[in-house]
Amino acid sequence: MAHTQPGIPLLKDLTTDNITENVVAINSKCPDPRTRFIFERLVHHLHDFARETRLSTAEWETAVQFLTRTGKICSDTRQEFILLSDVLGLSLLVDSIDHPKPPTSTEGTVLGPFHAHGAENVASGDTISHDPEGEPLLVVCTVRDCQGNPLEDVEVDVWETDSKGFYDVQYADREGFDNRAILHSDSEGNFSFKAIVPVPYPIPGDGPVGDLLKALNRHIYRPSHMHFKFNKAGYDPLIT
């Protein structure tokens, strides 16, 4: 039965055909236009997904339990939701939408779940790794704009795993950072540092995202790589 209470949207008796418009109507009083728009589209897509897949109650409960486990395993040093976003391709999609790159720009990528704030500022040429088992590597880079001009004083946040394939923040008993640092480019856009050769490594497979990958018959390994995050006032940030 419809009601006429002031300030409350007119609602209908719920059916599978009108439940979406009812939820959208309930949310329509949100004062922020962007939030209202996002949740309107979210409700539409979620409901369409449920209808298209004929989602069962048991499947919905499994999904709720999965998300609950994902939240519970998160900590200050582990972000399972970012990991989930990464393996679903959502992180890269959002980054590509929010930070479109011109053809001459270095391709961007996701931040990943193991970036950490507060890394030590080091001078160009310094060592960022103290892993005695890692193969030494000298990294020499130049930062340029899309016209090829060198960029001075770019903040470069860099991080990688140790020789065993683990990031420093994955060690519960370790204090301080290793295999990560912050540098700045010089007047010619150059910077360098000593590190170790990156190694392939598995993403954490002991949590719900690991279980998801197993269910999808996907492996948990990532190819060897090193992360860079570039920041300079007046320029769009770059993660690569």
Side-chain angles (χ1 to χ4, degrees), residues 21 24 35 37 70 95 101 122 131 150 176 179 188 220 227 235:
E21 62 180 278
V24 170
T35 301
F37 171 74
T70 300
D95 181 73
K101 301 291 188 296
V122 302
D131 183 349
N179 296 294
E188 298 299 320
I220 62 174
H227 298 267
Y235 292 83

Side-chain angles (χ1 to χ4, degrees), residues 11-231:
L11 303 180
K12 304 174 182 178
D13 292 331
L14 296 183
T15 69
T16 56
D17 294 325
N18 69 20
I19 188 171
T20 302
E21 62 180 278
N22 271 273
V23 175
V24 170
I26 293 171
N27 295 339
S28 66
K29 304 303 291 184
C30 175
D32 181 72
R34 178 63 178 171
T35 301
R36 185 170 64 249
F37 171 74
I38 288 175
F39 274 88
E40 176 188 333
R41 301 317 306 156
L42 176 64
V43 168
H44 273 286
H45 289 300
L46 279 176
H47 288 202
D48 286 345
F49 170 79
R51 292 188 183 96
E52 178 186 351
T53 61
R54 304 298 299 172
L55 195 67
S56 69
T57 301
E59 291 166 337
W60 174 82
E61 289 176 344
T62 298
V64 170
Q65 292 167 4
F66 173 83
L67 293 175
T68 301
R69 289 178 57 214
T70 300
K72 285 183 176 180
I73 205 170
C74 290
S75 68
D76 291 341
T77 58
R78 177 169 181 170
Q79 234 308 344
E80 194 82 355
F81 274 112
I82 291 181
L83 190 61
L84 175 61
S85 178
D86 289 351
V87 303
L88 293 178
L90 182 60
S91 303
L92 185 57
L93 176 60
V94 171
D95 181 73
S96 300
I97 293 171
D98 200 34
H99 300 282
K101 301 291 188 296
T104 55
S105 173
T106 299
E107 183 178 351
T109 189
V110 299
L111 182 65
F114 297 112
H115 176 262
H117 297 285
E120 180 183 2
N121 280 272
V122 302
S124 185
D126 279 359
T127 298
I128 73 165
S129 174
H130 301 89
D131 183 349
E133 298 180 13
E135 181 181 352
L137 174 70
L138 175 63
V139 181
V140 180
C141 302
T142 302
V143 188
R144 301 180 185 276
D145 64 19
C146 291
Q147 287 71 47
N149 303 306
L151 290 177
E152 182 180 6
D153 199 31
V154 176
E155 181 185 86
V156 185
D157 193 345
V158 58
W159 65 103
E160 65 169 332
T161 70
D162 60 18
S163 58
K164 297 180 177 62
F166 293 102
Y167 291 93
D168 50 4
V169 295
Q170 292 181 272
Y171 292 97
D173 58 347
R174 174 174 288 178
E175 295 183 3
F177 294 122
D178 197 18
N179 296 294
R180 70 174 73 232
I182 295 176
L183 305 97
H184 290 81
S185 60
D186 62 19
S187 59
E188 298 299 320
N190 299 322
F191 68 93
S192 65
F193 58 92
K194 300 181 183 75
I196 59 173
V197 175
V199 298
Y201 66 90
I203 64 172
D206 59 341
V209 174
D211 292 342
L212 174 63
L213 293 179
K214 292 173 187 175
L216 296 174
N217 197 27
R218 290 173 56 180
H219 68 78
I220 62 174
Y221 275 85
R222 297 204 64 198
S224 54
H225 62 277
M226 185 178 291
H227 298 267
F228 291 84
K229 182 181 180 184
F230 300 89
N231 281 289

